[in-house]
Amino acid sequence: PRERAHGVRPDFSPPSTQRPGAWAHASTAERVARAARFGAGAQFASGATSPVEAELEGEPAGTVHGEGGEAASSAAATLCPICCETRADVEQLPHWEARGDVSAHRMCAVCRASYTANTCPFCKEVLAKEELLAHISNFIDVVSSRARIADPDPNELAALLERWQTFEMELDAQPFVLRRVTQLIVEDTAFSSRLAQGVQLRASWLRDTAGVLFRFHALAADGELRLRAPGSAALLAEAVETLLEPFERDPPAPMHGHYYGALYSQALVPWLCAWRSGTSTRTAAALVMRVGHAIVRAQHTYGSPRGPRGGGR
């Protein structure tokens, strides 16, 4: 107020943006980092009214002033808080589940095109990115369509685990996005319906998608997911028990050793994904142990294949 009384406009911008030209030459990533670090204050670095000034002046926060200090309120809605440029294409970022008022979480088209993260730089909430939505949709479509086939291709279903592993590797530093995407899949009506049907029929495709089901179940059992749909966690647990039952019964179901080896691989990958992402490995490790014990029991029951040391099949 004292500076205002003497005709001097106080500078509310972050220290790193007060140097002439510093903001203009910063990359989008640097601007996003500064905006996240300084919060809403970063959006007032181009002379826009800050919340403190707004209270003193009685004008909306974000109002841009002209050279003479007059308010240019028509430009307030188009000020990009990332690059601090007044543009006509500034839009609110699409949040999956907005918490509170996110109307100021905006970017211009140039900054949106350069921003590759899957979370909002202001509140860290997951953004409804097209590629994430497409991944969820494709995953559910594959499971649902193959579940309708009497004898689906096991290799095609097993490839789902490879796709999911690749997806997790892309989100290696974003476990929050991983949790949210998994939650959306698990709580999807089509996915849960097909999974319940598979459990009821004891369908073979449960075994062939074991890796993905192991991963989802481990996330739910270890409290990594905030599931809201009633019965979702229980359905995943039942699916896992259903697919493991033929391997763990006494005696084990007679089947080609390929299925035992494939099951062990599908148990190891979810554990590796959990370890890499920093999520809990407790349930994933327990599943690896269970599958390993099942393989040992099968070997004791049916013997090992003929090898260098001989032996029956």
Side-chain angles (χ1 to χ4, degrees):
R2 182 167 57 254
E3 291 175 315
R4 176 70 73 182
H6 289 81
V8 179
R9 183 177 183 81
D11 190 351
F12 288 90
S13 61
S16 61
T17 67
Q18 294 175 9
R19 301 190 308 273
W23 191 268
H25 295 289
S27 66
T28 300
E30 291 172 333
R31 293 169 180 170
V32 168
R34 292 172 184 172
R37 178 181 176 186
F38 293 100
Q43 78 180 81
F44 307 105
S46 288
T49 304
S50 71
V52 177
E53 290 182 297
E55 184 176 352
L56 297 174
E57 301 289 334
E59 60 189 22
T63 300
V64 179
H65 289 260
E67 295 181 359
E70 67 281 2
S73 58
S74 61
T78 58
L79 180 67
C80 177
I82 301 300
C83 64
C84 290
E85 296 289 340
T86 301
R87 302 180 183 275
D89 53 11
V90 176
E91 297 179 1
Q92 180 179 321
L93 298 174
H95 293 62
W96 249 330
E97 289 186 355
R99 300 179 182 179
D101 183 11
V102 295
S103 59
H105 302 183
R106 305 155 67 89
M107 283 190 192
C108 66
V110 174
C111 291
R112 289 197 305 274
S114 303
Y115 187 62
T116 58
N118 295 302
T119 55
C120 174
F122 301 97
C123 64
K124 304 306 179 183
E125 178 59 54
V126 180
L127 298 177
K129 288 272 195 168
E130 291 184 3
E131 55 268 27
L132 286 180
L133 295 176
H135 178 85
I136 295 171
S137 177
N138 292 339
F139 186 94
I140 294 172
D141 287 346
V142 170
V143 173
S144 297
S145 61
R146 298 303 178 270
R148 299 189 189 100
I149 302 174
D151 189 21
D153 182 1
N155 294 321
E156 185 176 1
L157 288 173
L160 278 177
L161 179 59
E162 182 178 349
R163 290 175 55 188
W164 183 262
Q165 183 183 17
T166 302
F167 175 70
E168 283 213 29
M169 291 177 65
E170 294 173 352
L171 298 176
D172 211 13
Q174 302 180 70
F176 181 73
V177 180
L178 167 65
R179 295 186 187 99
R180 183 57 56 84
V181 171
T182 305
Q183 179 179 335
L184 290 172
I185 293 176
V186 170
E187 295 184 329
D188 180 83
T189 303
F191 177 81
S192 58
S193 175
R194 293 298 174 188
L195 186 58
Q197 184 182 36
V199 170
Q200 182 180 7
L201 299 176
R202 308 182 73 82
S204 62
W205 65 264
L206 293 176
R207 176 198 63 208
D208 300 326
T209 57
V212 174
L213 295 178
F214 284 161
R215 182 63 173 130
F216 290 177
H217 167 59
L219 286 168
D222 292 349
E224 297 283 356
L225 304 180
R226 295 178 297 179
L227 297 176
R228 294 164 298 186
S232 295
L235 179 59
L236 286 172
E238 188 177 4
V240 168
E241 295 302 322
T242 300
L243 72 90
L244 285 176
E245 190 276 332
F247 297 90
E248 293 185 323
R249 71 174 62 158
D250 189 19
M255 62 182 78
H256 195 280
H258 161 80
Y259 292 107
Y260 283 91
L263 186 68
Y264 191 67
S265 296
Q266 295 218 45
L268 279 175
V269 170
W271 172 82
L272 178 62
C273 288
W275 178 76
R276 284 180 56 91
S277 67
T279 55
S280 173
T281 61
R282 179 173 56 85
T283 298
L287 289 170
V288 173
M289 294 287 288
R290 287 181 62 179
V291 173
H293 289 158
I295 293 175
V296 172
R297 281 196 298 271
Q299 194 275 338
H300 286 169
T301 302
Y302 300 110
S304 60
R306 189 178 305 278
R309 297 185 179 181
R313 195 174 185 86

